[in-house]
Amino acid sequence: MRIEFAGQELELGDGENLAAALLGAGVTPFRYTPVSGAPRDPYCMMGACFECLVDIDGVTRQACMSEVHAGMVVRRPKVGQPDEV
């Protein structure tokens, strides 16, 4: 399935865990912390730590608790950092 992450098109498997699929595609970081701007990537992969927060189709969600579907648009949450690849 084709999805968009931070303006870049990616081919990921339909129904795959979004965090795992993005990591497998080499996407990093997923977000930046609001206070220091430090880069963050998934840590626990089970929904406990919230390090994998991304905006999915305009809603902030945990990537590790989401599945890939065709046409989804994923972005880094806006916290004063540029939406870069």
Side-chain angles (χ1 to χ4, degrees):
M1 301 273 111
R2 285 190 181 192
I3 74 155
E4 178 184 321
F5 182 85
Q8 176 184 7
E9 277 198 11
L10 300 173
E11 286 280 338
L12 305 177
D14 187 30
E16 281 188 308
N17 176 280
L18 179 60
L22 290 173
L23 285 172
V27 171
T28 187
F30 278 37
R31 68 181 185 97
Y32 297 93
T33 60
V35 175
S36 69
R40 291 290 191 244
D41 285 312
Y43 180 70
C44 75
M45 295 298 286
M46 62 181 195
C49 73
F50 292 84
E51 293 294 341
C52 65
L53 288 177
V54 291
D55 287 341
I56 302 171
D57 299 327
V59 178
T60 302
R61 300 177 190 255
Q62 292 170 281
C64 73
M65 301 300 288
S66 303
E67 292 184 359
V68 173
H69 64 269
M72 68 190 315
V73 177
V74 183
R75 302 202 185 288
R76 292 181 180 95
K78 297 293 183 203
V79 292
Q81 296 294 324
D83 192 21
E84 59 191 49
V85 175

